Amino acid sequence: LRPSKKQTSERMAAVRRDGTGPELAVRKALRSLGIRYRSNLATLPGSPDVANIRRGFVILVHGCFWHRHQSCPRATFPKTNKAFWKAKFLANRQRDLRVKMALEDKGLRVVVVWECETKMPGLVRFLRAALGTAVR
Ligand SMILES: [Zn+2]
């Protein structure tokens, strides 16, 4: 039995609400550090995945493929429709840069965590170091 359109859209809404695997890994790491945060704060540019305005930081969790993690094996380039993908990736990177600058203009420390980094055992240590004085 195939899921109905309603079931499919409910499931996709749940994914958006709960975050992807890499986002969940980052949130879990923050909880283990005892750092509180808000998810997908719509009042900030780009609705960053994780933010704590009082502590002055945001964390952007980037998928390696869509956000083009440099020299990462996950950032493959599709073999067909090259022009389409090239334009798509360029637009993504430009948006990432705009969002990062808009957040920094608000005085926030912006930490980018790549999807592949969320699978590494040192994620907690990496976050504590990257957030630095924001979490001390
Ligand atoms: Zn990567």
Side-chain angles (χ1 to χ4, degrees):
L1 198 69
R2 289 180 38 167
S4 70
K5 262 192 181 153
K6 183 162 177 281
Q7 283 170 327
T8 301
S9 78
E10 277 169 3
R11 191 169 308 140
M12 288 176 70
V15 167
R16 273 194 301 275
R17 204 163 43 239
D18 299 339
T20 59
E23 286 166 33
L24 296 182
V26 167
R27 294 189 212 163
K28 189 174 163 213
L30 288 175
R31 284 196 300 276
S32 84
L33 289 168
I35 300 167
R36 297 174 63 87
Y37 59 85
R38 299 275 306 276
S39 308
N40 308 114
L41 208 53
T43 49
L44 287 178
S47 304
D49 304 297
V50 169
N52 183 320
I53 294 174
R54 189 176 59 80
R55 288 186 183 267
F57 74 82
V58 306
I59 299 175
L60 307 177
V61 184
H62 281 351
C64 299
F65 176 77
W66 291 105
H67 298 266
R68 309 314 291 163
H69 191 192
Q70 287 217 346
S71 4
C72 176
R74 290 165 186 263
T76 54
F77 200 97
K79 291 194 170 37
T80 55
N81 296 326
K82 283 195 166 143
F84 166 82
W85 288 107
K86 203 174 165 196
K88 175 84 186 152
F89 291 148
L90 182 64
N92 285 353
R93 296 192 66 145
Q94 285 173 335
R95 189 179 54 240
D96 288 346
L97 192 61
R98 269 200 311 276
V99 165
K100 184 169 186 277
M101 290 192 304
L103 290 165
E104 284 172 349
D105 279 350
K106 289 183 173 291
L108 294 162
R109 180 194 297 247
V110 178
V111 174
V112 171
V113 180
W114 292 96
E115 172 189 7
C116 60
E117 292 169 338
T118 66
K119 323 249 184 239
M120 291 178 187
L123 180 62
V124 171
R125 243 179 318 144
F126 167 80
L127 283 174
R128 190 167 44 204
L131 292 170
T133 51
V135 296
R136 282 190 200 113

